[in-house]
Short mmCIF file of all heavy atoms in Angstrom, two decimals:
data_model
loop_
_atom_site.label_atom_id
_atom_site.label_comp_id
_atom_site.label_asym_id
_atom_site.label_seq_id
_atom_site.Cartn_x
_atom_site.Cartn_y
_atom_site.Cartn_z
N GLU A 66 137.94 175.15 95.18
CA GLU A 66 138.75 176.13 95.92
C GLU A 66 140.15 176.30 95.29
O GLU A 66 140.60 177.43 95.09
CB GLU A 66 138.81 175.76 97.40
CG GLU A 66 139.28 176.86 98.32
CD GLU A 66 138.54 178.20 98.19
OE1 GLU A 66 137.38 178.25 97.74
OE2 GLU A 66 139.16 179.23 98.53
N PRO A 67 140.85 175.21 94.95
CA PRO A 67 142.12 175.39 94.24
C PRO A 67 141.96 176.19 92.95
O PRO A 67 142.78 177.07 92.66
CB PRO A 67 142.58 173.96 93.95
CG PRO A 67 141.95 173.12 95.01
CD PRO A 67 140.64 173.78 95.32
N VAL A 68 140.91 175.92 92.18
CA VAL A 68 140.68 176.65 90.94
C VAL A 68 140.47 178.13 91.24
O VAL A 68 141.06 179.01 90.59
CB VAL A 68 139.47 176.06 90.16
CG1 VAL A 68 139.03 176.99 89.03
CG2 VAL A 68 139.82 174.68 89.60
N ARG A 69 139.67 178.43 92.27
CA ARG A 69 139.38 179.82 92.63
C ARG A 69 140.65 180.53 93.08
O ARG A 69 140.94 181.65 92.65
CB ARG A 69 138.31 179.86 93.73
CG ARG A 69 137.74 181.25 94.00
CD ARG A 69 136.88 181.30 95.25
NE ARG A 69 137.64 181.13 96.47
CZ ARG A 69 138.50 182.05 96.96
NH1 ARG A 69 138.70 183.19 96.33
NH2 ARG A 69 139.15 181.83 98.09
N GLN A 70 141.43 179.88 93.96
CA GLN A 70 142.63 180.54 94.49
C GLN A 70 143.70 180.73 93.41
O GLN A 70 144.39 181.75 93.40
CB GLN A 70 143.18 179.77 95.69
CG GLN A 70 142.27 179.91 96.92
CD GLN A 70 142.90 179.36 98.19
OE1 GLN A 70 144.12 179.37 98.36
NE2 GLN A 70 142.05 178.89 99.10
N LEU A 71 143.84 179.77 92.51
CA LEU A 71 144.81 179.93 91.42
C LEU A 71 144.39 181.05 90.49
O LEU A 71 145.22 181.84 90.05
CB LEU A 71 144.99 178.62 90.66
CG LEU A 71 145.93 177.63 91.35
CD1 LEU A 71 145.70 176.21 90.86
CD2 LEU A 71 147.39 178.03 91.17
N ALA A 72 143.09 181.15 90.19
CA ALA A 72 142.60 182.23 89.32
C ALA A 72 142.89 183.59 89.96
O ALA A 72 143.35 184.53 89.30
CB ALA A 72 141.10 182.07 89.06
N ALA A 73 142.67 183.70 91.28
CA ALA A 73 142.93 184.96 91.99
C ALA A 73 144.44 185.27 91.98
O ALA A 73 144.84 186.43 91.80
CB ALA A 73 142.42 184.86 93.43
N TYR A 74 145.27 184.25 92.14
CA TYR A 74 146.72 184.43 92.10
C TYR A 74 147.15 184.97 90.73
O TYR A 74 147.87 185.96 90.64
CB TYR A 74 147.41 183.10 92.42
CG TYR A 74 148.90 183.11 92.17
CD1 TYR A 74 149.78 183.63 93.11
CD2 TYR A 74 149.44 182.60 90.99
CE1 TYR A 74 151.16 183.65 92.89
CE2 TYR A 74 150.82 182.61 90.76
CZ TYR A 74 151.66 183.15 91.71
OH TYR A 74 153.01 183.17 91.48
N PHE A 75 146.68 184.33 89.66
CA PHE A 75 147.08 184.77 88.32
C PHE A 75 146.50 186.13 87.96
O PHE A 75 147.07 186.84 87.14
CB PHE A 75 146.75 183.71 87.27
CG PHE A 75 147.71 182.55 87.30
CD1 PHE A 75 147.31 181.31 87.76
CD2 PHE A 75 149.03 182.71 86.90
CE1 PHE A 75 148.21 180.25 87.82
CE2 PHE A 75 149.93 181.66 86.96
CZ PHE A 75 149.52 180.43 87.41
N ALA A 76 145.38 186.48 88.57
CA ALA A 76 144.78 187.80 88.33
C ALA A 76 145.49 188.88 89.14
O ALA A 76 145.23 190.07 88.99
CB ALA A 76 143.29 187.77 88.70
N GLY A 77 146.40 188.47 90.05
CA GLY A 77 147.13 189.42 90.87
C GLY A 77 146.33 189.90 92.07
O GLY A 77 146.74 190.83 92.76
N SER A 78 145.20 189.27 92.36
CA SER A 78 144.37 189.74 93.48
C SER A 78 144.59 188.93 94.75
O SER A 78 144.01 189.23 95.78
CB SER A 78 142.89 189.71 93.08
OG SER A 78 142.50 188.40 92.74
N SER A 79 145.43 187.89 94.68
CA SER A 79 145.72 187.11 95.87
C SER A 79 147.19 186.72 95.86
O SER A 79 147.75 186.38 94.83
CB SER A 79 144.87 185.84 95.90
OG SER A 79 145.27 185.02 96.98
N GLN A 80 147.80 186.78 97.04
CA GLN A 80 149.23 186.49 97.13
C GLN A 80 149.51 185.26 97.98
O GLN A 80 150.66 184.92 98.22
CB GLN A 80 149.98 187.70 97.71
CG GLN A 80 149.81 188.93 96.86
CD GLN A 80 150.67 190.09 97.33
OE1 GLN A 80 151.24 190.06 98.41
NE2 GLN A 80 150.75 191.12 96.52
N LYS A 81 148.47 184.61 98.46
CA LYS A 81 148.66 183.51 99.40
C LYS A 81 147.67 182.40 99.08
O LYS A 81 146.53 182.66 98.75
CB LYS A 81 148.40 184.05 100.80
CG LYS A 81 149.13 183.34 101.90
CD LYS A 81 148.93 184.11 103.20
CE LYS A 81 149.41 183.32 104.38
NZ LYS A 81 150.81 183.42 104.65
N PHE A 82 148.14 181.16 99.20
CA PHE A 82 147.24 180.02 99.04
C PHE A 82 146.93 179.47 100.42
O PHE A 82 147.81 179.33 101.26
CB PHE A 82 147.92 178.92 98.21
CG PHE A 82 148.12 179.32 96.78
CD1 PHE A 82 149.37 179.73 96.33
CD2 PHE A 82 147.07 179.31 95.87
CE1 PHE A 82 149.57 180.13 95.02
CE2 PHE A 82 147.26 179.70 94.56
CZ PHE A 82 148.51 180.10 94.12
N SER A 83 145.67 179.19 100.66
CA SER A 83 145.28 178.53 101.91
C SER A 83 144.45 177.32 101.52
O SER A 83 143.24 177.34 101.57
CB SER A 83 144.48 179.49 102.79
OG SER A 83 143.38 180.00 102.05
N LEU A 84 145.14 176.30 101.06
CA LEU A 84 144.48 175.09 100.57
C LEU A 84 144.90 173.89 101.39
O LEU A 84 146.04 173.82 101.86
CB LEU A 84 144.91 174.84 99.11
CG LEU A 84 144.47 175.87 98.07
CD1 LEU A 84 145.17 175.62 96.75
CD2 LEU A 84 142.96 175.84 97.89
N ALA A 85 144.01 172.94 101.52
CA ALA A 85 144.38 171.65 102.10
C ALA A 85 145.24 170.95 101.06
O ALA A 85 144.86 170.87 99.89
CB ALA A 85 143.12 170.84 102.39
N LEU A 86 146.41 170.49 101.48
CA LEU A 86 147.32 169.81 100.56
C LEU A 86 147.49 168.36 100.96
O LEU A 86 147.56 168.04 102.14
CB LEU A 86 148.69 170.51 100.55
CG LEU A 86 148.69 171.99 100.15
CD1 LEU A 86 150.10 172.56 100.23
CD2 LEU A 86 148.11 172.18 98.76
N ASP A 87 147.56 167.49 99.97
CA ASP A 87 147.85 166.08 100.19
C ASP A 87 149.31 165.88 99.80
O ASP A 87 149.67 166.00 98.63
CB ASP A 87 146.92 165.23 99.31
CG ASP A 87 147.17 163.74 99.47
OD1 ASP A 87 148.30 163.35 99.84
OD2 ASP A 87 146.24 162.96 99.19
N TRP A 88 150.15 165.60 100.79
CA TRP A 88 151.60 165.49 100.57
C TRP A 88 152.03 164.07 100.23
O TRP A 88 153.21 163.75 100.25
CB TRP A 88 152.34 165.96 101.83
CG TRP A 88 152.20 167.42 102.10
CD1 TRP A 88 151.26 168.00 102.90
CD2 TRP A 88 153.01 168.49 101.59
NE1 TRP A 88 151.45 169.37 102.91
CE2 TRP A 88 152.51 169.69 102.11
CE3 TRP A 88 154.12 168.52 100.72
CZ2 TRP A 88 153.07 170.93 101.81
CZ3 TRP A 88 154.68 169.76 100.42
CH2 TRP A 88 154.14 170.95 100.96
N SER A 89 151.08 163.19 99.91
CA SER A 89 151.43 161.77 99.78
C SER A 89 152.32 161.44 98.59
O SER A 89 152.88 160.35 98.53
CB SER A 89 150.17 160.90 99.77
OG SER A 89 149.34 161.24 98.69
N LEU A 90 152.48 162.35 97.63
CA LEU A 90 153.36 162.06 96.49
C LEU A 90 154.83 162.38 96.79
O LEU A 90 155.69 162.21 95.93
CB LEU A 90 152.92 162.86 95.24
CG LEU A 90 151.61 162.41 94.61
CD1 LEU A 90 151.24 163.33 93.45
CD2 LEU A 90 151.68 160.97 94.13
#
Side-chain angles (χ1 to χ4, degrees):
E66 196 52 25
V68 167
R69 191 190 69 70
Q70 289 190 30
L71 280 159
Y74 169 82
F75 284 110
S78 60
S79 174
Q80 300 187 349
K81 207 172 169 84
F82 292 102
S83 54
L84 294 170
L86 301 178
D87 179 335
W88 292 94
S89 61
L90 290 176

